[in-house]
């Protein structure tokens, strides 16, 4: 390398100030130090950068051409500093998050509203995905955070518990079971049930609630998402087992919820890649999510 960053800094200081003395003041070093370094730089380059005419320094045409590149370099450095400052202040950037569909209608709108109020310049990309697609999104770095009920652990994921998320029975208003304080799965055996596809984790959890195959009710309607089940109950089609987080979403009129006994949960966790530091934005978003627990 013919010229290093310190030599570039001294050269630029002379070009800006027009003299050795001015450069020494800009750089807070002695004039002899500036003179020695610029002389050494000229030796390394193999051409003169300045000529002294009647006691003043004048840049050569070669110096003028070199200064154009140096100016571009310093503009790039300034952009780096600007980006760093924006990162410190969380003034720019994008946060990529994935969640399960029911959370996308309940928890996430509240969390994102708070986050956007705090950081109005940040862009959020929210993907509502089923657990398998959410896991793939995390592992391929398409998203930084995942928020979901995803009971199958993966060795590459770090898991932060967020909500216990109790399972409740969603009943049409006026249903006889709404008079109960708690409901058991036995109470629902003869009820028209809105059930779930057994391929999804929540559907598998609901099946576990009813026990063995002999105790499994035949759903009147089968869906893949809890908020769709709520819409079915709202329409008077039947009853459904849903989670508390889903019930915090849209105002479900004409629906009454009752806790299931014994208590069972579909815990909501925050997922990220293990041993990979989170961005400042992701850490801030997790803080917002955790603040909504209270």
């Amino acid at each position: 390398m013919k010229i290093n960053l310190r030599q570039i800094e001294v050269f630029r200081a002379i070009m800006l100030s027009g003299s050795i003395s001015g450069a020494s003041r800009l750089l807070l070093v002695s004039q002899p130090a500036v003179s020695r370094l610029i002389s050494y730089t000229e030796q390394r380059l193999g051409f003169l950068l300045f000529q002294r005419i009647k006691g003043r320094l004048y840049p050569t045409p070669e110096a003028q051409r070199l200064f154009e590149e140096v100016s571009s370099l310093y503009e790039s450095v300034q952009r780096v500093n600007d980006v760093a400052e924006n990162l410190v202040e969380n003034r720019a950037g994008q946060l990529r998050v994935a969640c399960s569909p029911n959370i996308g209608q309940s928890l996430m709108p509240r969390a994102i509203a708070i986050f956007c109020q705090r950081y109005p310049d940040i862009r959020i990309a929210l993907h509502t995905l089923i657990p398998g697609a959410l896991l793939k999104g995390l592992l391929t770095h398409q998203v930084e955070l995942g928020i979901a009920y995803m009971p199958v652990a993966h060795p590459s994921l770090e898991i932060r518990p967020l909500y216990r998320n109790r399972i409740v029975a969603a009943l049409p208003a006026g249903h006889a079971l709404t008079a109960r304080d708690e409901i058991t799965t036995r109470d629902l055996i003869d009820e028209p049930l809105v059930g779930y596809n057994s391929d999804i984790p929540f559907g598998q959890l609901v099946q576990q609630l009813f026990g063995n195959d002999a105790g499994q009710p035949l759903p009147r309607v089968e869906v893949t998402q809890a908020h769709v089940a709520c819409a079915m109950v709202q329409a008077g089609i039947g009853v459904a087992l849903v989670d508390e987080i889903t019930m915090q979403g849209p105002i479900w009129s004409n629906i009454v919820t009752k806790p299931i006994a014994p208590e069972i949960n579909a815990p909501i966790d925050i997922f990220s890649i293990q041993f990979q530091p989170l961005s400042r934005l992701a850490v801030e978003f997790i803080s917002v999510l955790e603040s909504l627990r209270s």
Side-chain angles (χ1 to χ4, degrees), residues 56-72:
R56 292 190 59 185
L57 280 186
Y58 291 89
T60 63
E62 291 80 8
Q64 295 284 9
R65 177 66 185 91
L66 191 62
F67 185 62
E68 293 176 9
E69 298 301 321
V70 169
S71 297
S72 297

Side-chain angles (χ1 to χ4, degrees), residues 59-85:
T60 63
E62 291 80 8
Q64 295 284 9
R65 177 66 185 91
L66 191 62
F67 185 62
E68 293 176 9
E69 298 301 321
V70 169
S71 297
S72 297
L73 172 63
Y74 270 78
E75 288 175 4
S76 299
V77 171
Q78 184 58 52
R79 285 195 296 270
V80 171
N81 285 328
D82 290 342
V83 170
E85 185 176 350

Side-chain angles (χ1 to χ4, degrees), residues 6-186:
R6 180 58 175 169
Q7 292 167 320
I8 290 173
E9 184 180 33
V10 171
F11 167 67
R12 179 174 179 268
I14 297 173
M15 292 292 290
L16 292 175
S17 65
S19 66
I20 297 294
S21 60
S24 70
R25 287 193 296 269
L26 282 176
L27 300 174
L28 301 177
V29 297
S30 69
Q31 293 185 39
V34 172
S35 296
R36 284 194 300 270
L37 189 55
I38 202 64
S39 176
Y40 177 72
T41 302
E42 290 176 328
Q43 293 176 22
R44 293 284 294 170
L45 291 172
F47 56 81
L48 289 178
L49 293 171
F50 302 96
Q51 289 184 354
R52 188 174 294 275
I53 303 174
K54 295 183 180 180
R56 292 190 59 185
L57 280 186
Y58 291 89
T60 63
E62 291 80 8
Q64 295 284 9
R65 177 66 185 91
L66 191 62
F67 185 62
E68 293 176 9
E69 298 301 321
V70 169
S71 297
S72 297
L73 172 63
Y74 270 78
E75 288 175 4
S76 299
V77 171
Q78 184 58 52
R79 285 195 296 270
V80 171
N81 285 328
D82 290 342
V83 170
E85 185 176 350
N86 287 335
L87 290 172
V88 168
E89 300 295 333
N90 286 331
R91 289 200 301 254
Q94 175 177 275
L95 178 63
R96 293 168 290 111
V97 184
C99 70
S100 51
N102 62 319
I103 297 175
Q105 290 199 344
S106 52
L107 173 65
M108 297 304 284
R110 291 187 292 140
I112 290 174
I114 295 172
F115 188 83
C116 287
Q117 188 174 19
R118 292 182 186 176
Y119 309 107
D121 297 326
I122 300 303
R123 181 174 178 268
I124 295 180
L126 176 65
H127 305 266
T128 53
L129 304 171
I130 62 174
L134 189 148
L135 175 61
K136 181 179 178 181
L138 286 165
L139 295 177
T140 57
H141 303 283
Q142 295 176 11
V143 296
E144 188 173 7
L145 295 177
I147 299 93
Y149 167 60
M150 195 163 61
V152 179
H154 190 282
S156 296
L157 294 185
E158 181 175 342
I159 303 173
R160 296 171 176 82
L162 186 61
Y163 284 97
R164 290 169 58 192
N165 198 27
R166 186 173 183 178
I167 302 299
V168 297
L171 309 165
H175 193 285
L177 290 176
T178 60
R180 306 266 188 98
D181 291 331
E182 291 183 325
I183 294 175
T184 67
T185 52
R186 289 194 301 273

Side-chain angles (χ1 to χ4, degrees), residues 204-263:
Q204 295 162 9
L205 178 64
V206 169
Q207 286 187 350
Q208 293 173 18
L209 278 170
F210 285 101
N212 57 34
D213 291 340
Q216 294 290 332
L218 182 65
R220 172 181 286 184
V221 177
E222 187 176 272
V223 299
T224 58
Q225 298 169 353
H227 63 274
V228 177
C230 285
M232 297 293 172
V233 176
Q234 192 175 46
I237 294 172
V239 302
L241 294 174
V242 298
D243 60 293
E244 290 178 319
I245 295 295
T246 296
M247 297 309 301
Q248 293 175 6
I251 302 301
W252 297 109
S253 59
N254 300 318
I255 293 182
V256 177
T257 60
K258 294 293 177 178
I260 292 292
E263 179 177 339

